Amino acid sequence: SCDFAPSGSFSPFRRLPLPAKRKYMRSPLSPEMATQEVPLNETLAHLKTESETLKLKLEEERAKLHDVELHQVAEKVEGLGQFVMKTRRTLKGHGNKVLCMDWCKDKRRIVSSSQDGKVIVWDAFTTNKEHAVTMPCTWVMACAYAPSGCAVACGGLDNKCSVYPLSLDKNENLAAKKKSVAMHTNYLSACSFTNSDMQILTSSGDGTCALWDVESGQLLQSFHGHAADVLCLDLAPSETGNTFVSGGCDKKANVWDMRSGQCIQSFETHESDINSVRYYPSGDAFASGSDDATCRLYDLRADREVAIYSKESIIFGVSSVDFSLSGRLLFGGYNDYTINVWDVLKGTRVSILFGHENRVSTLRVSPDGTAFCTGSWDHTLRVWILMC
Amino acid sequence: MSNNNASSSLASAKRAVRQLRLEASVRRIKVSQAAADLRQYCLQNASKDPLLMGVPSSDNPFRPPKSCSLF
Protein backbone atom coordinates (compact mmCIF):
# COMPACT_ATOMS: atom_id res chain seq x y z
CA SER A 1 0.00 0.00 0.00
CA CYS A 2 1.18 3.51 -0.68
CA ASP A 3 2.15 5.41 2.44
CA PHE A 4 2.62 8.65 0.59
CA ALA A 5 -0.82 9.19 -0.85
CA PRO A 6 -1.51 12.85 -0.13
CA SER A 7 -5.23 12.36 0.07
CA GLY A 8 -7.66 9.57 0.34
CA SER A 9 -8.22 7.05 3.02
CA PHE A 10 -6.04 4.30 4.33
CA SER A 11 -8.76 1.75 4.74
CA PRO A 12 -10.31 0.12 1.70
CA PHE A 13 -13.54 0.20 3.68
CA ARG A 14 -13.95 3.94 3.90
CA ARG A 15 -16.29 6.02 1.84
CA LEU A 16 -18.47 3.18 0.69
CA PRO A 17 -21.41 4.69 -1.14
CA LEU A 18 -24.53 4.32 0.97
CA PRO A 19 -27.37 2.31 -0.57
CA ALA A 20 -30.14 4.44 -2.08
CA LYS A 21 -32.82 3.09 0.24
CA ARG A 22 -31.34 3.61 3.68
CA LYS A 23 -34.09 1.91 5.59
CA TYR A 24 -32.19 2.09 8.86
CA MET A 25 -31.75 5.84 8.52
CA ARG A 26 -35.18 6.95 9.68
CA SER A 27 -35.25 10.61 10.50
CA PRO A 28 -37.34 11.07 13.65
CA LEU A 29 -39.81 13.94 13.47
CA SER A 30 -39.61 16.08 16.55
CA PRO A 31 -42.82 17.81 17.75
CA GLU A 32 -41.39 21.21 16.73
CA MET A 33 -40.84 20.02 13.19
CA ALA A 34 -44.38 18.68 12.94
CA THR A 35 -45.94 22.02 13.75
CA GLN A 36 -44.11 24.29 11.33
CA GLU A 37 -45.89 27.60 11.07
CA VAL A 38 -45.40 27.83 7.32
CA PRO A 39 -46.58 24.65 5.63
CA LEU A 40 -44.21 23.01 3.19
CA ASN A 41 -45.12 23.38 -0.44
CA GLU A 42 -45.59 19.83 -1.48
CA THR A 43 -43.95 19.72 -4.87
CA LEU A 44 -40.34 18.60 -5.32
CA ALA A 45 -39.49 21.57 -7.49
CA HIS A 46 -40.69 24.06 -4.90
CA LEU A 47 -38.86 22.23 -2.13
CA LYS A 48 -35.62 22.30 -4.08
CA THR A 49 -36.01 26.01 -4.73
CA GLU A 50 -36.67 26.65 -1.06
CA SER A 51 -33.63 24.54 -0.22
CA GLU A 52 -31.40 26.68 -2.44
CA THR A 53 -32.93 29.89 -1.08
CA LEU A 54 -32.34 28.77 2.50
CA LYS A 55 -28.73 27.84 1.79
CA LEU A 56 -28.10 31.29 0.33
CA LYS A 57 -29.85 32.92 3.26
CA LEU A 58 -27.69 30.91 5.68
CA GLU A 59 -24.54 32.12 3.92
CA GLU A 60 -25.78 35.72 3.92
CA GLU A 61 -26.69 35.67 7.61
CA ARG A 62 -23.31 34.22 8.54
CA ALA A 63 -21.48 36.71 6.32
CA LYS A 64 -23.27 39.72 7.88
CA LEU A 65 -21.66 38.95 11.22
CA HIS A 66 -18.22 38.31 9.77
CA ASP A 67 -16.87 41.70 10.80
CA VAL A 68 -13.34 40.68 11.70
CA GLU A 69 -10.86 37.80 11.57
CA LEU A 70 -9.75 35.97 14.72
CA HIS A 71 -6.08 36.76 14.15
CA GLN A 72 -6.92 40.48 13.94
CA VAL A 73 -8.58 40.33 17.34
CA ALA A 74 -5.42 38.62 18.56
CA GLU A 75 -2.99 41.19 17.10
CA LYS A 76 -2.14 42.73 20.45
CA VAL A 77 -1.79 39.38 22.19
CA GLU A 78 1.81 38.55 23.03
CA GLY A 79 3.32 36.11 20.57
CA LEU A 80 4.47 32.70 21.71
CA GLY A 81 8.21 32.16 21.84
CA GLN A 82 10.24 29.12 20.96
CA PHE A 83 8.58 25.86 21.76
CA VAL A 84 10.63 22.79 22.50
CA MET A 85 8.56 19.70 23.01
CA LYS A 86 10.12 16.30 23.37
CA THR A 87 9.11 12.68 23.64
CA ARG A 88 9.44 11.54 27.21
CA ARG A 89 7.98 8.07 26.87
CA THR A 90 7.78 5.66 23.98
CA LEU A 91 5.27 2.85 24.33
CA LYS A 92 6.33 -0.17 22.33
CA GLY A 93 4.35 -3.37 22.12
CA HIS A 94 1.84 -3.15 19.33
CA GLY A 95 2.67 -5.41 16.41
CA ASN A 96 1.05 -3.20 13.82
CA LYS A 97 -0.28 0.30 13.11
CA VAL A 98 -1.65 2.12 16.15
CA LEU A 99 -5.03 3.55 15.14
CA CYS A 100 -6.49 5.11 18.26
CA MET A 101 -5.70 5.97 21.86
CA ASP A 102 -7.39 7.53 24.87
CA TRP A 103 -6.26 8.72 28.30
CA CYS A 104 -7.67 7.51 31.57
CA LYS A 105 -8.91 10.26 33.92
CA ASP A 106 -6.07 9.28 36.28
CA LYS A 107 -3.70 11.05 33.82
CA ARG A 108 -1.34 8.12 33.70
CA ARG A 109 -3.07 5.21 32.01
CA ILE A 110 -3.62 4.98 28.29
CA VAL A 111 -5.62 2.58 26.14
CA SER A 112 -4.56 2.05 22.53
CA SER A 113 -5.81 -0.10 19.67
CA SER A 114 -4.22 -1.29 16.49
CA GLN A 115 -4.67 -2.78 13.05
CA ASP A 116 -3.83 -6.27 14.22
CA GLY A 117 -6.77 -6.36 16.60
CA LYS A 118 -4.85 -5.74 19.81
CA VAL A 119 -6.07 -3.39 22.51
CA ILE A 120 -3.48 -2.54 25.17
CA VAL A 121 -3.79 -0.64 28.45
CA TRP A 122 -0.53 1.03 29.49
CA ASP A 123 0.79 2.81 32.53
CA ALA A 124 2.39 5.72 30.67
CA PHE A 125 4.58 6.70 33.66
CA THR A 126 6.35 3.34 33.76
CA THR A 127 5.54 2.26 30.14
CA ASN A 128 4.36 -1.08 31.53
CA LYS A 129 1.52 -2.89 29.81
CA GLU A 130 -1.22 -3.55 32.32
CA HIS A 131 -3.78 -5.33 30.16
CA ALA A 132 -3.97 -6.67 26.64
CA VAL A 133 -6.84 -8.15 24.71
CA THR A 134 -7.10 -9.41 21.17
CA MET A 135 -10.27 -8.44 19.36
CA PRO A 136 -11.89 -10.87 16.95
CA CYS A 137 -11.47 -8.33 14.15
CA THR A 138 -8.64 -6.36 12.62
CA TRP A 139 -8.53 -2.55 12.26
CA VAL A 140 -9.67 -1.59 15.73
CA MET A 141 -10.19 2.04 14.79
CA ALA A 142 -11.79 3.20 17.99
CA CYS A 143 -11.05 2.87 21.66
CA ALA A 144 -12.02 4.83 24.74
CA TYR A 145 -11.43 4.75 28.47
CA ALA A 146 -14.44 4.74 30.79
CA PRO A 147 -14.65 7.74 33.16
CA SER A 148 -14.32 5.44 36.17
CA GLY A 149 -11.11 3.95 34.78
CA CYS A 150 -12.61 0.52 35.27
CA ALA A 151 -13.39 -0.35 31.67
CA VAL A 152 -12.42 0.32 28.08
CA ALA A 153 -14.53 0.33 24.92
CA CYS A 154 -13.32 -0.52 21.44
CA GLY A 155 -14.40 -1.59 17.98
CA GLY A 156 -13.68 -1.36 14.29
CA LEU A 157 -14.30 -3.67 11.36
CA ASP A 158 -16.58 -5.82 13.49
CA ASN A 159 -19.15 -2.96 13.23
CA LYS A 160 -19.58 -3.11 16.99
CA CYS A 161 -18.47 -1.27 20.08
CA SER A 162 -17.63 -3.64 22.94
CA VAL A 163 -16.88 -2.84 26.55
CA TYR A 164 -14.23 -4.74 28.52
CA PRO A 165 -14.25 -4.32 32.31
CA LEU A 166 -10.65 -4.05 33.53
CA SER A 167 -9.83 -6.51 36.19
CA LEU A 168 -7.30 -5.95 38.94
CA ASP A 169 -6.24 -9.53 38.36
CA LYS A 170 -3.77 -9.27 35.50
CA ASN A 171 -4.12 -12.95 34.77
CA GLU A 172 -7.82 -12.76 34.19
CA ASN A 173 -8.96 -13.24 30.63
CA LEU A 174 -10.42 -9.86 29.66
CA ALA A 175 -12.14 -11.28 26.62
CA ALA A 176 -14.35 -13.48 28.79
CA LYS A 177 -16.13 -10.48 30.30
CA LYS A 178 -16.61 -8.64 27.01
CA LYS A 179 -19.97 -6.95 26.53
CA SER A 180 -21.22 -6.03 23.06
CA VAL A 181 -22.94 -2.67 23.26
CA ALA A 182 -23.27 -0.99 19.88
CA MET A 183 -24.24 -2.51 16.56
CA HIS A 184 -23.79 -0.56 13.38
CA THR A 185 -24.13 -1.72 9.80
CA ASN A 186 -20.62 -0.65 8.89
CA TYR A 187 -17.29 -0.13 10.65
CA LEU A 188 -17.03 1.68 13.97
CA SER A 189 -14.90 4.80 13.48
CA ALA A 190 -15.02 6.39 16.95
CA CYS A 191 -16.49 5.89 20.38
CA SER A 192 -16.68 7.85 23.60
CA PHE A 193 -18.27 7.30 27.00
CA THR A 194 -20.50 10.17 28.05
CA ASN A 195 -20.24 11.53 31.60
CA SER A 196 -20.52 8.08 33.11
CA ASP A 197 -19.70 4.46 32.38
CA MET A 198 -23.36 3.94 31.53
CA GLN A 199 -23.62 5.43 28.05
CA ILE A 200 -21.49 5.31 24.94
CA LEU A 201 -21.63 7.48 21.86
CA THR A 202 -20.47 5.92 18.58
CA SER A 203 -19.86 6.98 14.99
CA SER A 204 -19.77 4.67 12.02
CA GLY A 205 -19.01 4.11 8.36
CA ASP A 206 -22.77 3.57 8.01
CA GLY A 207 -23.20 7.34 8.12
CA THR A 208 -24.77 7.56 11.56
CA CYS A 209 -23.87 8.28 15.16
CA ALA A 210 -25.66 6.60 18.00
CA LEU A 211 -26.04 6.75 21.77
CA TRP A 212 -26.22 3.44 23.64
CA ASP A 213 -26.99 2.20 27.11
CA VAL A 214 -24.02 0.07 28.14
CA GLU A 215 -25.84 -2.23 30.53
CA SER A 216 -28.66 -3.27 28.20
CA GLY A 217 -27.07 -2.54 24.82
CA GLN A 218 -30.19 -0.56 23.97
CA LEU A 219 -30.07 2.15 21.33
CA LEU A 220 -31.09 5.38 23.10
CA GLN A 221 -30.82 7.84 20.23
CA SER A 222 -29.59 7.80 16.67
CA PHE A 223 -28.23 10.72 14.71
CA HIS A 224 -28.88 10.93 10.99
CA GLY A 225 -27.69 13.67 8.69
CA HIS A 226 -24.26 12.85 7.38
CA ALA A 227 -24.29 11.84 3.72
CA ALA A 228 -21.32 9.49 4.03
CA ASP A 229 -19.12 7.72 6.61
CA VAL A 230 -18.82 9.49 9.94
CA LEU A 231 -15.17 9.38 10.98
CA CYS A 232 -14.96 11.15 14.32
CA LEU A 233 -16.86 12.66 17.20
CA ASP A 234 -16.27 14.66 20.37
CA LEU A 235 -18.55 15.40 23.29
CA ALA A 236 -18.99 18.97 24.46
CA PRO A 237 -17.38 19.74 27.83
CA SER A 238 -20.00 18.80 30.41
CA GLU A 239 -20.65 22.38 31.51
CA THR A 240 -21.91 23.34 28.09
CA GLY A 241 -24.80 20.95 27.85
CA ASN A 242 -25.74 17.84 25.96
CA THR A 243 -24.22 18.26 22.55
CA PHE A 244 -21.53 16.63 20.50
CA VAL A 245 -19.82 17.29 17.19
CA SER A 246 -19.12 14.75 14.43
CA GLY A 247 -17.07 14.92 11.24
CA GLY A 248 -17.38 12.84 8.11
CA CYS A 249 -16.41 11.89 4.58
CA ASP A 250 -19.11 14.30 3.38
CA LYS A 251 -16.73 17.12 4.48
CA LYS A 252 -19.29 18.24 7.05
CA ALA A 253 -18.94 18.83 10.74
CA ASN A 254 -22.33 18.52 12.46
CA VAL A 255 -23.29 19.59 15.96
CA TRP A 256 -26.02 17.45 17.53
CA ASP A 257 -28.47 17.73 20.39
CA MET A 258 -28.08 14.43 22.24
CA ARG A 259 -31.58 14.39 23.65
CA SER A 260 -33.57 15.11 20.49
CA GLY A 261 -31.23 13.57 17.91
CA GLN A 262 -31.45 16.84 16.00
CA CYS A 263 -28.56 18.29 14.03
CA ILE A 264 -28.51 21.87 15.29
CA GLN A 265 -25.59 23.32 13.33
CA SER A 266 -23.66 22.15 10.30
CA PHE A 267 -20.41 23.39 8.79
CA GLU A 268 -19.10 22.56 5.36
CA THR A 269 -15.89 24.39 4.54
CA HIS A 270 -13.34 21.58 4.40
CA GLU A 271 -12.38 20.27 0.98
CA SER A 272 -12.04 16.65 1.98
CA ASP A 273 -12.81 14.08 4.69
CA ILE A 274 -12.84 15.37 8.27
CA ASN A 275 -10.77 12.89 10.27
CA SER A 276 -10.90 14.52 13.68
CA VAL A 277 -13.01 17.00 15.64
CA ARG A 278 -12.31 18.39 19.10
CA TYR A 279 -14.08 20.96 21.24
CA TYR A 280 -12.27 24.07 22.39
CA PRO A 281 -12.04 23.86 26.21
CA SER A 282 -14.72 26.51 26.80
CA GLY A 283 -17.18 24.58 24.64
CA ASP A 284 -17.85 27.63 22.46
CA ALA A 285 -15.89 26.35 19.47
CA PHE A 286 -14.38 23.23 17.98
CA ALA A 287 -11.41 22.37 15.77
CA SER A 288 -11.30 19.92 12.91
CA GLY A 289 -8.53 18.16 10.99
CA SER A 290 -8.96 16.99 7.42
CA ASP A 291 -7.44 15.16 4.48
CA ASP A 292 -7.31 18.61 2.84
CA ALA A 293 -4.19 19.24 4.98
CA THR A 294 -5.83 21.97 7.05
CA CYS A 295 -7.12 22.33 10.57
CA ARG A 296 -9.99 24.75 11.07
CA LEU A 297 -11.69 26.43 13.98
CA TYR A 298 -15.47 26.88 14.03
CA ASP A 299 -17.14 29.15 16.56
CA LEU A 300 -20.55 27.84 17.61
CA ARG A 301 -22.01 31.19 18.68
CA ALA A 302 -20.89 32.98 15.50
CA ASP A 303 -22.00 29.87 13.61
CA ARG A 304 -19.05 29.91 11.21
CA GLU A 305 -15.46 28.99 10.52
CA VAL A 306 -13.22 31.58 12.17
CA ALA A 307 -9.71 30.31 11.43
CA ILE A 308 -7.79 28.04 9.08
CA TYR A 309 -4.45 26.55 10.15
CA SER A 310 -2.49 25.73 7.04
CA LYS A 311 0.76 26.30 5.18
CA GLU A 312 1.66 25.78 1.54
CA SER A 313 4.38 23.39 2.65
CA ILE A 314 1.89 21.17 4.48
CA ILE A 315 0.27 18.94 1.89
CA PHE A 316 -0.54 15.78 3.84
CA GLY A 317 -3.78 15.13 5.66
CA VAL A 318 -4.40 15.76 9.33
CA SER A 319 -5.48 12.64 11.17
CA SER A 320 -6.17 14.05 14.64
CA VAL A 321 -6.30 17.29 16.59
CA ASP A 322 -6.48 18.38 20.21
CA PHE A 323 -6.17 21.59 22.23
CA SER A 324 -3.88 22.39 25.12
CA LEU A 325 -5.67 23.18 28.41
CA SER A 326 -6.12 26.92 27.78
CA GLY A 327 -7.08 26.44 24.14
CA ARG A 328 -4.15 28.55 23.00
CA LEU A 329 -2.36 25.67 21.30
CA LEU A 330 -3.79 23.27 18.73
CA PHE A 331 -1.84 20.07 18.13
CA GLY A 332 -2.29 18.29 14.81
CA GLY A 333 -1.03 14.83 13.93
CA TYR A 334 -0.30 14.52 10.23
CA ASN A 335 0.07 11.81 7.59
CA ASP A 336 3.59 13.10 6.81
CA TYR A 337 4.72 11.69 10.20
CA THR A 338 4.91 15.10 11.91
CA ILE A 339 3.02 17.00 14.59
CA ASN A 340 2.35 20.68 13.90
CA VAL A 341 1.63 22.94 16.85
CA TRP A 342 -0.52 26.00 16.05
CA ASP A 343 -1.14 29.27 17.86
CA VAL A 344 -4.95 29.11 17.83
CA LEU A 345 -5.42 32.89 18.17
CA LYS A 346 -2.80 34.12 15.71
CA GLY A 347 -3.17 31.31 13.19
CA THR A 348 0.56 30.68 12.95
CA ARG A 349 2.54 27.51 13.47
CA VAL A 350 4.72 27.63 16.58
CA SER A 351 6.43 24.29 16.28
CA ILE A 352 6.87 21.18 14.17
CA LEU A 353 7.71 17.94 15.94
CA PHE A 354 9.51 14.96 14.46
CA GLY A 355 9.92 11.51 15.88
CA HIS A 356 7.41 9.11 14.48
CA GLU A 357 8.52 6.97 11.56
CA ASN A 358 5.16 6.74 9.92
CA ARG A 359 1.78 8.50 9.90
CA VAL A 360 0.56 9.97 13.16
CA SER A 361 -2.92 8.46 13.42
CA THR A 362 -4.16 9.60 16.82
CA LEU A 363 -3.38 12.41 19.28
CA ARG A 364 -4.81 13.35 22.68
CA VAL A 365 -3.78 15.80 25.36
CA SER A 366 -3.75 14.31 28.87
CA PRO A 367 -6.65 15.17 31.23
CA ASP A 368 -4.56 17.63 33.27
CA GLY A 369 -2.84 19.06 30.19
CA THR A 370 0.70 18.20 31.25
CA ALA A 371 1.42 16.03 28.22
CA PHE A 372 0.02 14.78 24.96
CA CYS A 373 0.20 11.32 23.49
CA THR A 374 0.45 10.36 19.84
CA GLY A 375 -0.06 6.99 18.19
CA SER A 376 1.39 6.08 14.84
CA TRP A 377 1.49 3.61 12.01
CA ASP A 378 5.08 3.02 13.16
CA HIS A 379 3.50 0.76 15.86
CA THR A 380 4.46 3.04 18.76
CA LEU A 381 2.90 5.65 20.99
CA ARG A 382 4.82 8.65 22.26
CA VAL A 383 4.15 10.90 25.23
CA TRP A 384 5.38 14.48 24.73
CA ILE A 385 5.88 17.37 27.13
CA LEU A 386 7.08 20.95 26.96
CA MET A 387 10.73 21.31 27.83
CA CYS A 388 11.43 24.50 29.70
CA MET B 1 -41.71 1.50 -8.29
CA SER B 2 -41.63 5.04 -9.64
CA ASN B 3 -44.08 6.07 -6.93
CA ASN B 4 -41.68 4.80 -4.27
CA ASN B 5 -38.77 6.72 -5.75
CA ALA B 6 -40.83 9.89 -6.09
CA SER B 7 -42.12 9.72 -2.52
CA SER B 8 -38.71 9.04 -1.04
CA SER B 9 -37.21 11.98 -2.99
CA LEU B 10 -40.05 14.12 -1.70
CA ALA B 11 -39.50 12.90 1.84
CA SER B 12 -35.79 13.64 1.75
CA ALA B 13 -36.38 17.05 0.14
CA LYS B 14 -38.81 17.89 2.95
CA ARG B 15 -36.25 16.78 5.53
CA ALA B 16 -33.59 18.93 3.89
CA VAL B 17 -35.84 21.99 3.93
CA ARG B 18 -36.85 21.44 7.56
CA GLN B 19 -33.20 21.04 8.53
CA LEU B 20 -32.16 24.18 6.65
CA ARG B 21 -34.98 26.19 8.26
CA LEU B 22 -33.70 25.07 11.64
CA GLU B 23 -30.11 25.98 10.83
CA ALA B 24 -31.11 29.33 9.33
CA SER B 25 -32.99 30.21 12.52
CA VAL B 26 -29.95 29.78 14.78
CA ARG B 27 -29.16 32.93 16.77
CA ARG B 28 -25.68 34.19 15.92
CA ILE B 29 -23.28 36.68 17.37
CA LYS B 30 -20.66 38.75 15.57
CA VAL B 31 -17.27 37.20 14.93
CA SER B 32 -15.65 40.13 16.78
CA GLN B 33 -17.57 39.17 19.92
CA ALA B 34 -16.92 35.45 19.54
CA ALA B 35 -13.22 36.04 18.82
CA ALA B 36 -12.88 38.34 21.82
CA ASP B 37 -14.33 35.61 24.04
CA LEU B 38 -11.95 32.99 22.64
CA ARG B 39 -9.01 35.34 23.24
CA GLN B 40 -10.21 36.07 26.77
CA TYR B 41 -10.51 32.37 27.61
CA CYS B 42 -6.98 31.67 26.35
CA LEU B 43 -5.44 34.53 28.27
CA GLN B 44 -7.33 33.78 31.48
CA ASN B 45 -6.21 30.15 31.47
CA ALA B 46 -2.72 30.55 30.04
CA SER B 47 -0.89 30.41 33.36
CA LYS B 48 -2.47 27.04 34.16
CA ASP B 49 -1.60 25.47 30.81
CA PRO B 50 1.37 23.11 31.30
CA LEU B 51 2.01 22.66 27.57
CA LEU B 52 2.05 26.43 27.12
CA MET B 53 3.93 27.61 30.18
CA GLY B 54 5.53 24.48 31.51
CA VAL B 55 5.43 23.27 35.09
CA PRO B 56 8.25 22.69 37.54
CA SER B 57 9.94 19.31 37.04
CA SER B 58 8.70 18.13 40.40
CA ASP B 59 5.09 18.62 39.28
CA ASN B 60 5.41 16.95 35.92
CA PRO B 61 5.24 13.18 36.24
CA PHE B 62 6.67 12.73 32.76
CA ARG B 63 9.60 15.06 33.36
CA PRO B 64 12.11 12.55 34.57
CA PRO B 65 12.91 10.47 31.51
CA LYS B 66 12.17 6.81 31.94
CA SER B 67 15.39 5.14 32.86
CA CYS B 68 16.25 1.50 32.44
CA SER B 69 15.63 -0.61 35.43
CA LEU B 70 16.95 -4.07 35.84
CA PHE B 71 14.35 -5.47 38.17
Side-chain angles (χ1 to χ4, degrees), chain A residues 121 131-133 144-146 148-154 162-169 172-181 193 197 214-215:
Chain A
V121 175
H131 303 275
V133 70
Y145 230 114
S148 67
C150 297
V152 293
C154 52
S162 306
V163 175
Y164 292 85
L166 296 175
S167 165
L168 287 172
D169 176 3
E172 186 168 0
N173 181 9
L174 277 192
K177 292 236 169 99
K178 166 179 164 176
K179 186 197 267 293
S180 263
V181 174
F193 284 85
D197 285 21
V214 172
E215 192 56 37

Side-chain angles (χ1 to χ4, degrees), chain A residues 52-114:
Chain A
E52 293 312 308
T53 310
L54 283 167
K55 281 181 192 163
L56 280 171
K57 181 177 176 214
L58 201 53
E59 276 173 42
E60 273 171 29
E61 293 300 311
R62 282 171 166 169
K64 274 184 205 168
L65 299 163
H66 187 197
D67 53 346
V68 79
E69 298 293 338
L70 174 60
H71 64 82
Q72 290 171 298
V73 166
E75 246 157 37
K76 303 252 172 66
V77 173
E78 203 179 309
L80 300 172
Q82 281 280 11
F83 267 79
V84 180
M85 289 179 177
K86 291 207 168 152
T87 299
R88 269 350 229 180
R89 299 288 188 275
T90 303
L91 307 180
K92 294 185 185 178
H94 276 294
N96 212 317
K97 305 177 172 71
V98 177
L99 302 176
C100 189
M101 59 79 43
D102 191 20
W103 287 91
C104 177
K105 283 204 157 72
D106 72 0
K107 309 162 265 191
R108 72 184 280 168
R109 283 172 181 80
I110 282 174
V111 63
S112 60
S113 62
S114 94

Side-chain angles (χ1 to χ4, degrees), chain A residues 178-204:
Chain A
K178 166 179 164 176
K179 186 197 267 293
S180 263
V181 174
M183 287 281 295
H184 278 279
T185 55
N186 210 321
Y187 64 90
L188 187 83
S189 53
C191 62
S192 174
F193 284 85
T194 60
N195 293 333
S196 77
D197 285 21
M198 304 283 75
Q199 291 180 357
I200 286 187
L201 191 58
T202 57
S203 63
S204 166

Side-chain angles (χ1 to χ4, degrees), chain A residues 247-266:
Chain A
C249 288
D250 58 357
K251 313 176 203 168
K252 284 193 179 169
N254 289 340
V255 180
W256 308 87
D257 179 314
M258 280 172 73
R259 273 176 288 226
S260 67
Q262 191 86 56
C263 171
I264 51 185
Q265 283 171 279
S266 185

Side-chain angles (χ1 to χ4, degrees), chain A residues 128, chain B residues 66-71:
Chain A
N128 290 338
Chain B
K66 165 103 170 46
S67 47
C68 280
S69 30
L70 293 168
F71 53 92

